[in-house]
Amino acid sequence: MNRKAKIVATIGPASQDETVLERLIQAGVNVARMNFSHGTHEEHAEHITTIRRISEKLNTPVGILQDLQGPKIRVGELPAPLQLSEGEIIHLYATGTIPPLENGQKIPVDFRQLFDSVRTSDRLLLDDGRLTLEVVSVKERTLSARVIVGGRFRLTRESIYPVFAFAFQASLRRMKRILHSAFLQNVDAVAISFVRSART
């Protein structure tokens, strides 16, 4: 059979063992995706070295794809998961400040510049894009938003992605450091989520 598709496999805890990697490549994996949102530079370097060693052993070329985390804003500590309902108004506020007095569920955000950058009608994605908010009002260190796509906001993926042109300098500096480490490993390709412009 003449296969016309390429197979990209994410390399994680279940697949980073050398024996498993060899079986994956033998099964037809063309590209190994390394998720740089997790793990250390040293761990990634070790996995890349292993993949290249197996690739050479099997005489099978395998590309290395570095997947960057992208612009992500961390949420502050929450006592428990939240259930967000469609149409509900919730409030985000900067950690270290007094929560807003308005009724509704409240989420602390560990990035004060967010409140200087958002505008009414901007959208925010929570929990890796599963939940969607639309900003209805912004104050100095708080904002109110309507839930467009609701669901359970889990504590294990407590992050917000801004869906608007936004110079996210802290994230960009971190990505540059990660890119430098990938440059040293001579990765074949780089991917990033939620790209909005050449700058951000």
Side-chain angles (χ1 to χ4, degrees):
M1 183 178 66
N2 183 18
R3 179 160 59 96
K4 296 182 179 181
K6 301 296 184 183
I7 299 175
V8 180
T10 297
I11 306 306
S15 58
Q16 60 197 21
D17 177 78
E18 186 164 348
T19 302
V20 177
L21 286 170
E22 184 167 338
R23 289 169 55 195
L24 286 172
I25 295 172
Q26 287 175 327
V29 165
N30 303 105
V31 178
R33 172 184 173 267
M34 314 294 294
N35 185 356
F36 276 66
S37 296
H38 307 286
T40 65
H41 300 320
E42 293 76 17
E43 290 170 342
H44 289 303
E46 181 181 344
H47 299 327
I48 290 171
T49 299
T50 301
I51 292 167
R52 290 199 165 123
R53 183 173 62 249
I54 298 170
S55 172
E56 185 175 351
K57 170 186 171 182
L58 299 177
N59 194 29
T60 303
V62 177
I64 304 294
L65 172 64
Q66 179 198 34
D67 198 342
L68 299 177
Q69 174 176 287
K72 180 181 289 189
I73 300 171
R74 304 305 297 179
V75 168
E77 184 176 351
L78 294 170
L82 303 178
Q83 183 64 40
L84 305 183
S85 302
E86 183 177 331
E88 175 185 5
I89 299 296
I90 67 170
H91 310 284
L92 279 61
Y93 66 97
T95 54
T97 63
I98 299 173
L101 299 176
E102 290 90 345
N103 293 330
Q105 302 192 82
K106 300 172 178 61
I107 300 175
V109 178
D110 193 20
F111 190 75
R112 295 195 175 198
Q113 292 92 324
L114 172 68
F115 305 97
D116 300 324
S117 303
V118 296
R119 300 290 182 269
T120 301
S121 298
D122 282 339
R123 293 201 171 191
L124 304 174
L125 304 181
L126 277 64
D127 197 358
D128 289 343
R130 289 180 58 254
L131 313 175
T132 304
L133 307 179
E134 183 178 76
V135 178
V136 296
S137 67
V138 186
K139 297 181 182 178
E140 184 178 358
R141 289 289 178 262
T142 67
L143 68 83
S144 299
R146 179 178 291 103
V147 178
I148 303 299
V149 178
R152 186 176 174 82
F153 187 30
R154 298 168 292 179
L155 300 181
T156 53
R157 296 181 180 177
E158 48 209 40
S159 55
I160 299 174
Y161 296 96
V163 188
F164 49 88
F166 175 28
F168 204 161
Q169 296 302 322
S171 181
L172 290 175
R173 286 193 295 270
R174 180 177 183 276
M175 283 190 281
K176 286 178 180 178
R177 292 195 298 270
I178 296 174
L179 277 170
H180 179 69
S181 72
F183 171 78
L184 297 176
Q185 294 299 320
N186 195 28
V187 301
D188 300 294
V190 175
I192 184 171
S193 302
F194 297 97
V195 174
R196 293 147 300 179
S197 70
R199 289 188 57 201
T200 55

